[in-house]
Amino acid sequence: QPPFFSSMVGVLAEEKGDEIWTTYLPQLQKEYDFWMDGADQLTEENPTYRRVVRMATGNILNRYQDDGDTPRPEGYKEDKETSEATADHARTNKDLRSAAESGWDFSCRWFRDPMDISTIHTIDIIPVDLNALMYHLEKCLEKGYELDGNAELAASYAEKAQQRQEAIWSYGWDEEKEFYQDYDFVAGE
């Protein structure tokens, strides 16, 4: 599911005060670590691992990627039928599972051909909304570490948030449409 925990902590902090940021700092960090697992292993030659993608600029952005490659239990029959209609059953199942991980209902957002679910390619997509949530999480970690007295970690998260913000603008902003969009990092569009 999308990383909404930092938004929930923010609502609670508005009600109860800034100490909430330090109270929930370990949990915020745990969520961030889950989404950023493997980021330190990424290279130009090996730009993806689980939910992290190293862009051509060197920026790290996130995607949805379920670790499984079998049909989802809750949609076994449908997923099996869809994956059997493709050349790479495991990849199709991974894309279907990853779309479900997004928390969004299935839509053509994840398809190459909007009329054909078998063209699903979720793990090739950098979702702008996911990365906006990750930016928010980085800003919350910055605030939490600042309030906790750890200026070094606060500065580190401020820098990560700034880099992500620039990458979202670079890869997600469509100047012609004046709108943010997902970015297919495999197709480069």
Side-chain angles (χ1 to χ4, degrees), residues 50-63:
R50 299 188 79 206
R51 294 167 183 84
V52 288
V53 178
R54 183 184 185 276
M55 307 305 286
T57 57
N59 295 91
I60 308 295
L61 291 174
N62 292 86
R63 65 180 176 177

Side-chain angles (χ1 to χ4, degrees), residues 22-84:
T22 55
T23 300
Y24 289 99
L25 192 54
Q27 292 85 358
L28 290 165
Q29 185 65 61
K30 185 175 183 178
E31 181 163 63
Y32 187 78
D33 292 344
F34 169 83
W35 283 98
M36 297 305 291
D37 178 39
D40 57 341
Q41 302 170 31
L42 301 179
T43 64
E44 195 172 332
E45 297 77 31
N46 199 14
T48 63
Y49 181 77
R50 299 188 79 206
R51 294 167 183 84
V52 288
V53 178
R54 183 184 185 276
M55 307 305 286
T57 57
N59 295 91
I60 308 295
L61 291 174
N62 292 86
R63 65 180 176 177
Y64 293 109
Q65 180 173 326
D66 188 278
D67 295 331
D69 62 3
T70 58
R72 297 169 300 133
E74 70 274 17
Y76 186 84
K77 181 179 181 273
E78 297 85 356
D79 288 4
K80 189 166 174 43
E81 288 171 3
T82 299
S83 66
E84 286 178 350

Side-chain angles (χ1 to χ4, degrees), residues 115-130:
M115 302 304 288
D116 185 359
I117 193 172
S118 71
T119 65
I120 193 165
H121 66 127
T122 312
I123 65 175
D124 295 344
I125 297 172
I126 302 294
V128 68
D129 52 330
L130 171 60

Side-chain angles (χ1 to χ4, degrees), residues 88-137:
D88 188 344
H89 307 323
R91 166 63 197 257
T92 301
N93 284 320
K94 184 174 281 298
D95 284 313
L96 290 164
R97 293 174 73 99
S98 299
E101 180 184 69
S102 77
W104 289 98
D105 288 336
F106 276 85
S107 73
C108 60
R109 176 186 191 181
W110 311 116
F111 307 164
R112 282 189 184 90
D113 175 348
M115 302 304 288
D116 185 359
I117 193 172
S118 71
T119 65
I120 193 165
H121 66 127
T122 312
I123 65 175
D124 295 344
I125 297 172
I126 302 294
V128 68
D129 52 330
L130 171 60
N131 283 283
L133 290 168
M134 291 299 294
Y135 168 81
H136 183 264
L137 178 53

Side-chain angles (χ1 to χ4, degrees), residues 2-3 13 71 89 94 108 146 160 178-179 189:
H89 307 323
K94 184 174 281 298
C108 60
E146 184 178 285
K160 289 175 186 194
E178 296 183 345
F179 197 77
E189 58 187 28

